Amino acid sequence: MLEAVDVSVSRQGRQLLDKVSLTVRTGEVCAVLGPNGAGKSTLLHIVSGYAKPDAGLVRMADITVHQGLPKALAAHRAVMEQHPAAPAGWTAADLIRTGLYAHPTSAGESAVGEAVALTCTEDLLPRGLQGLSGGERQRVHLARTLCQLLASRAPERYLLLDEPTAALDFAAADGLMTQLQRIARQYDIGVLVVLHDLNLALRHADTVMLLKAGSSQAFGPAAEVMRKDRLEAIYGVALAELISPDARVRAFVPMSGH
Amino acid sequence: MRPILLLVPLAILLTATAALSLLGVHGFGQLASGAGLPPLEWHLIRELRLPRVLAAAAAGALLSAAGCAVQARFRNPLAEPGLIGINSGAALAAALALALGAGMGTVFMSAFAGGMLALLAIRLLGRAHRDSVRLILAGLAVSTILGSLLTLLISLLPDGALRSVTFWLMGSFAGADWPQALTLALAAPAVWLLLYRRWPLLNALQLGNDAAFHLGFDVKRGEWQVTTLAALAAGFVVAACGMVGFVGLMAPHLTRQLVGGDAKRLLQAAPLTGALLTVLADWLARSVIAPAELPVGVITSLIGAPFFLWLLQQDGKHHA
């Protein structure tokens, strides 16, 4: 289990996170939502261990994250950063193989193959990163993180993603989230994903955390947490809740000016 | 392409260039025609040219490897070993030693110590901040202070000392004797090996500090290891040969065009490319206006900069 307990962070006198707690179980997708500046990325940095909280703690399997060695952490979690880099002269294959650095095991080669197959990046492997489209680059970075997790023999594994759909059109974004859900189930990986799109979270997340100005407004099963009145209060905008005729899809649309 | 297919031709090219530089076009012709070389010529080659070519090759290899390291560490293709700011410390210390009439051995050791002291100062100044920009700014500030001290020193020097200081500042392999050449020739593989063993770290750092941490690296420690190794490499070169400009910037770029950006392949080929450039530049410095001699730094910059511009344009076309 991945668990953040009463995490507080302040930087330069500003409270970025105030006693935020959340739990991610392996095999499920947890989405973090909230307006710009709510502290979503900060929360992800704390959970990944890259930044330290001023108070509270994060536990991942049996590791206290902020005392863990980088190598031990890398065996348990992989992170897709918000602005993935594309160094000059690198091919997609070069990037994907960086996922193996944490644990160069014999399982490495098969992990690369599996990650490539899952993300459909076979054709991209020999191509230069800088020549790839935003969507293609995103897939290659996802392959890199999957490669890191699949090569690991840790008993619990987590995938953290910071706005992975930001550069994607809506069909690709939906495809990515579907894929993340499938990966979570198939490999028993816990997924923590920062999102801007409420409707993606509604359709693809098992649990949702709503953040506003650094404090947690609600956390729990997606359908329960994402209520119209609560979302309106958090985003400060009137919403219409639409339900498809067959009642299988629910969506929120902002109604500014109405 | 398999790396070996590139490394072997590079090594052959380097050997050929070194042989040409050792024998000269004239000597080459004499040997080829079976005439043999006079004993005096052999003596010249053994005592003067061989240590010089060896020093040039080792210096090129060191600068090139250091360039690969700092470009990865700062995630900036414009970075070169001098960016860390150690050159100014080395230059000031060397100028001081030269002004006091010290021999080449003492100059070498003072320059090396000066460079390392500058690195230490920069490290202490830049320590409080985690971003690279602060480190570069600290390096710049230290460089400026030391540079103005150097200017002050130069303005006070008598003519004789001024000449040797200026020549040293412009960079030259002319002063390389056997002890210096051997020091460089031993330092080059040692520093290279320490950098090469860290190729995964160098790759990870190119993805950003956060990504490098996420991939399992102790970023702070890793960054300082890389910085220190690059400074060591540059320190050896600047102490032995003065400021040899542009090689640390150009050689990694040239190599990247040949083998791609992966740090493992890059570090395998980069020392050969760097050595090729410096050996060639040193030979040109000696032969362009023979029997007089140009500072090698002039050659590397005068030929290097336009070549570099051409290279960048090729790169631009490639991506367009």
Side-chain angles (χ1 to χ4, degrees), chain A residues 45 48-50 70-71 73-74 77-79 81 85 87-91 94-95 98-99 101-102 130-131 141 144 148, chain B residues 130 199-204 206-219 256 259-263 265 319:
Chain A
H45 281 152
S48 80
Y50 183 61
K71 266 218 157 37
L73 291 176
R77 58 99 184 93
V79 185
E81 297 81 17
W90 282 39
T91 63
D94 290 335
L95 179 72
T98 62
Y101 292 167
Q130 299 197 324
H141 271 279
R144 187 238 320 163
Q148 183 181 340
Chain B
R130 46 187 320 166
W199 67 262
L201 170 70
L202 289 173
N203 270 342
Q206 290 191 65
L207 295 175
N209 283 4
D210 49 354
F213 175 77
H214 294 145
L215 288 171
F217 293 97
D218 185 337
V219 173
R256 198 172 290 118
V259 300
D262 175 61
R265 294 194 302 263
H319 287 304

Side-chain angles (χ1 to χ4, degrees), chain B residues 186-209:
Chain B
L186 287 175
V191 176
W192 175 82
L193 193 66
L194 288 170
L195 277 174
Y196 182 67
R197 282 181 40 186
R198 288 171 174 76
W199 67 262
L201 170 70
L202 289 173
N203 270 342
L205 285 176
Q206 290 191 65
L207 295 175
N209 283 4

Side-chain angles (χ1 to χ4, degrees), chain B residues 14 205 232 257 288 291:
Chain B
L14 174 62
L205 285 176
L232 262 177
Q257 300 247 323
V288 170

Side-chain angles (χ1 to χ4, degrees), chain B residues 66-67 69-71 73-74 78-89 115-123 132 134-143 146 223-235:
Chain B
V70 292
Q71 284 175 13
R73 185 237 176 275
F74 290 105
L78 290 177
E80 53 121 6
L83 183 74
I84 313 165
I86 69 155
N87 279 355
S88 53
M116 293 303 118
L117 278 177
L119 174 70
L120 201 66
I122 294 158
R123 169 161 192 176
S132 302
R134 297 289 181 144
L135 181 75
I136 294 177
L137 290 178
L140 202 64
V142 169
S143 287
L146 296 176
E223 278 191 333
W224 274 110
Q225 286 176 348
V226 172
T227 309
T228 309
L229 285 171
L232 262 177

Side-chain angles (χ1 to χ4, degrees), chain B residues 162-311:
Chain B
L162 183 63
R163 240 190 100 69
S164 55
V165 168
T166 318
F167 201 74
W168 189 89
L169 286 179
M170 287 191 291
S172 170
F173 301 114
D177 51 14
W178 270 113
Q180 274 188 25
L182 286 178
T183 310
L184 284 186
L186 287 175
V191 176
W192 175 82
L193 193 66
L194 288 170
L195 277 174
Y196 182 67
R197 282 181 40 186
R198 288 171 174 76
W199 67 262
L201 170 70
L202 289 173
N203 270 342
L205 285 176
Q206 290 191 65
L207 295 175
N209 283 4
D210 49 354
F213 175 77
H214 294 145
L215 288 171
F217 293 97
D218 185 337
V219 173
K220 248 193 163 139
R221 206 170 123 226
E223 278 191 333
W224 274 110
Q225 286 176 348
V226 172
T227 309
T228 309
L229 285 171
L232 262 177
F236 275 112
V237 177
V238 81
C241 323
M243 316 274 203
V244 183
F246 239 73
V247 176
L249 179 64
M250 190 166 57
H253 273 276
L254 191 60
T255 318
R256 198 172 290 118
Q257 300 247 323
L258 293 171
V259 300
D262 175 61
K264 185 179 185 184
R265 294 194 302 263
L266 199 56
L267 277 172
Q268 284 170 350
L272 292 174
T273 326
L276 186 61
L277 287 180
T278 42
V279 170
L280 196 62
D282 176 56
W283 177 58
L284 287 174
R286 260 187 298 140
S287 39
V288 170
I289 54 165
E293 193 168 306
L294 286 170
V296 73
V298 171
I299 301 280
T300 52
S301 305
L302 204 62
I303 298 182
F307 177 68
F308 188 64
L309 283 174
W310 176 79
L311 210 65

